Amino acid sequence: MDAVGREMAMSKKIRLATAWLAGCSGCHMSLLDLHEELIGLFDAVELVFSPLADVKEFPAEVDITLVEGAVANLDNLELAEIIRSNSRLVISFGDCAVTGNVTSLRNQIPVEDLLSAVYREGAASLPGSGDAEGIVPKLLPRVLPLHQVVKVDAYLPGCPPSPQRISAAINALLAGELPKLPPDMRTFG
Amino acid sequence: MPVITLTVDGELVSARHGQSLLEVLRDLGADLPTLCQCPGLSVQGGCRLCLVEISGTNKLLPACTTEAAEGMAVTTGSERLQEYRRMVVELLLAERNHTCAVCVSNGNCELQALAANLGVDHVRFSYQYPVMSMDLSHERFGLDHNRCVLCLRCQRVCDEVEGAHTWDVMARGGMSRVITDMRRPWGESSTCTGCGKCVQICPTGALFDKGMSVSEMEKERGFLERILAGRSRHQSKGQGHGRSRKGNGDE
Ligand code: SF4
Ligand code: SF4
Ligand code: SF4
Ligand code: FES
């Protein structure tokens, strides 16, 4: 890993964050599928925020943030904005962030009808009402791809992106370049 | 057959009189993106992916509907053209509901491949999320309007090759839909022979064999060429006189 070597020589670790908005966590699972490559990666980066690390607040001065998931509710929206203002590079990580994907399948249905079908007419109580007030974030009228909410610097499509795609993208980023994946590594789906 | 000479991306090339620009480019082995065009079917000129620049006119012209002419100077891959082609694909993806990850054609789809080849790694337009139905009334095939790009290959293959003319298109713009038998359910069609040609020719997951799950629908890309080659052999032996207008079980 050339880029990693170079960064190590510079002896300043890249501050990497990964975030999980409205997605299934499959993209993070695929990240873990980098296996032993992760060891080399952590020589070059410091993981400053991630669902895989126990950090509560999104920190300042992050170099690169990989964002899994679409923007579906007020919490996602708030975190997306914090991520953007605190990160030098924001990468849409996987199809939900890039296109809305499966998360956006609900967009044909008005939110109130959706909540009625799932909760009011179902067994559970309605998020954001009664006991759940203030605990479950309010849904946005429509699920949005990340780049329709904040500026995004690069896109890593795939559901989930394969470890090969993730590796190629991360290596480019560590080398100080925006990833430019070949056609067979940038398909949706 | 008279031969003409034209310039393609700065190179002098010769072509046969009457050829379309797309045929000339294909003969040269050029990799021009197309979606509605399909060898063996009439030209549609609908998708605008094959747009080229022709010197002397500021208009971009589709290579599939433009006849090659003596002295023409054609540009096929300028940054401007690539940008328009990307926009075409992005508009197609934004216009209906393309959720590749859960689509029958995931991994085997011409639209998905076009997007990747052209470098469309995100869509800059607002997704429309139209409410679209499916027609699952046919015994063996399904139609999912969510994935249709209105290329009308189904309409042409059914009319021109199968001779059944089951398909048409209704309404305009964003309301356009492919329909069977004057908008009756496909399964009740009195014209459909059940040959499956429309399913095989459809570039996306809009037409599929029933029972297919995510990524399972693989279309047989060469089937039309095979059928048409078989037909011309047949005709040259003096057996088939003209093209039958009814399904004749050549699949
Ligand atoms: S038809 Fe093609 S582009 Fe559309 S969802 Fe299916 S695989 Fe994706
Ligand atoms: S199955 Fe054959 S006859 Fe029926 S609609 Fe498709 S092409 Fe036409
Ligand atoms: S159903 Fe398929 S072949 Fe027919 S117009 Fe739609 S995308 Fe094209
Ligand atoms: S291929 Fe020429 S317009 Fe569609």
Side-chain angles (χ1 to χ4, degrees):
Chain A
M1 210 190 256
D2 271 8
V4 173
R6 230 173 298 146
E7 283 303 331
M8 279 171 70
M10 286 162 62
S11 80
K12 182 186 167 288
K13 285 197 173 184
I14 291 179
R15 289 166 61 79
L16 175 75
T18 77
W20 181 16
L21 307 183
C24 71
S25 95
C27 300
H28 274 87
M29 295 302 123
S30 197
L31 176 71
L32 291 179
D33 281 341
L34 285 175
H35 294 303
E36 68 273 15
E37 221 183 307
L38 285 170
I39 299 166
L41 176 66
F42 286 117
D43 286 338
V45 306
E46 183 189 351
L47 190 65
V48 293
F49 183 86
S50 174
L52 307 169
D54 189 19
V55 183
K56 302 285 184 248
E57 299 258 309
F58 194 88
E61 291 182 21
V62 176
D63 292 310
I64 302 164
T65 304
L66 305 179
V67 182
E68 168 186 336
V71 180
N73 61 37
L74 289 178
D75 276 10
N76 298 154
L77 188 65
E78 196 185 338
L79 183 54
E81 281 163 358
I82 295 171
I83 288 170
R84 178 68 273 182
S85 56
N86 292 9
S87 315
R88 204 164 50 78
L89 293 176
V90 174
I91 316 297
S92 277
F93 175 33
D95 272 6
C96 289
V98 177
T99 75
N101 198 26
V102 175
T103 315
S104 68
L105 285 175
R106 74 142 156 105
N107 283 3
Q108 279 95 341
I109 308 167
V111 165
E112 278 309 308
D113 295 357
L114 193 76
L115 291 173
S116 288
V118 177
Y119 296 102
R120 294 189 187 100
E121 291 158 13
S125 67
L126 187 63
S129 71
D131 290 349
E133 187 74 70
I135 297 173
V136 182
K138 274 220 162 8
L139 297 181
L140 298 178
R142 273 186 174 177
V143 175
L144 298 168
L146 185 64
H147 66 274
Q148 288 187 9
V149 175
V150 295
K151 182 178 165 287
V152 167
D153 300 291
Y155 301 84
L156 183 46
C159 180
S162 64
Q164 292 75 22
R165 291 183 186 199
I166 300 173
S167 167
I170 289 183
N171 282 332
L173 289 163
L174 294 185
E177 289 154 15
L178 286 179
K180 269 213 149 308
L181 300 181
D184 64 328
M185 286 176 88
R186 62 185 182 216
T187 48
F188 300 121
Chain B
M1 199 178 289
V3 170
I4 56 170
T5 306
L6 60 160
T7 313
V8 173
D9 295 327
E11 303 260 330
L12 275 180
V13 303
S14 46
R16 290 190 305 281
H17 181 78
Q19 275 190 306
S20 73
L21 275 179
L22 184 63
E23 286 166 334
V24 175
L25 291 165
R26 287 283 185 260
D27 284 352
L28 292 170
D31 178 28
L32 198 71
T34 57
L35 187 58
C36 66
Q37 188 270 349
C38 201
L41 299 182
S42 62
V43 285
Q44 176 81 14
C47 75
R48 314 317 261 190
L49 275 160
C50 68
L51 289 176
V52 293
E53 290 168 356
I54 296 174
S55 64
T57 167
N58 217 0
K59 256 171 57 181
L60 303 175
L61 292 172
C64 64
T65 60
T66 306
E67 198 173 304
E70 180 68 37
M72 232 179 204
V74 187
T75 306
T76 65
S78 67
E79 191 33 54
R80 172 177 173 233
L81 287 169
Q82 288 298 87
E83 175 58 15
Y84 280 124
R85 289 172 188 151
R86 277 193 289 272
M87 279 167 66
V88 166
V89 168
E90 288 174 61
L91 286 166
L92 287 174
L93 290 170
E95 189 175 33
R96 302 249 169 147
N97 301 302
H98 290 276
T99 318
C100 297
V102 292
C103 178
V104 285
S105 286
N106 187 20
N108 306 298
C109 170
E110 290 186 36
L111 180 60
Q112 189 184 37
L114 275 168
N117 286 334
L118 288 165
V120 174
D121 59 6
H122 70 291
V123 171
R124 290 165 292 178
F125 306 107
S126 296
Y127 289 97
Q128 297 303 296
Y129 307 113
V131 177
M132 291 265 160
S133 61
M134 294 175 84
D135 182 345
L136 298 174
S137 60
H138 195 283
E139 197 188 341
R140 285 163 47 216
F141 312 128
L143 160 65
D144 184 355
H145 290 289
N146 291 286
R147 315 285 197 243
C148 174
V149 292
L150 294 170
C151 65
L152 300 191
R153 287 192 195 178
C154 53
Q155 191 273 329
R156 282 173 288 152
V157 81
C158 186
D159 176 47
E160 297 167 14
V161 183
E162 180 60 5
H165 197 130
T166 300
W167 293 100
D168 276 297
V169 62
M170 62 164 242
R172 302 177 69 83
M175 301 299 288
S176 298
R177 302 277 189 284
V178 286
I179 50 170
T180 44
D181 273 14
M182 310 296 276
R183 208 185 171 184
R184 299 227 324 277
W186 193 1
E188 290 167 24
S189 166
S190 56
T191 58
C192 174
T193 65
C195 70
K197 291 186 176 68
C198 54
V199 175
Q200 294 304 321
I201 207 88
C202 174
T204 69
L207 295 177
F208 54 89
D209 293 333
K210 273 191 172 172
M212 291 290 155
S213 181
V214 175
S215 305
E216 287 181 354
M217 188 64 216
E218 279 185 57
K219 314 240 170 151
E220 191 202 331
R221 295 293 170 211
F223 89 98
L224 188 57
E225 232 171 300
R226 183 166 50 75
I227 289 175
L228 294 177
R231 275 187 188 177
S232 53
R233 264 205 310 281
H234 216 60
Q235 282 171 352
S236 63
K237 278 192 244 152
Q239 288 165 340
H241 293 287
R243 174 192 287 165
S244 160
R245 297 299 297 170
K246 258 287 155 201
N248 45 19
D250 50 9
E251 258 246 322

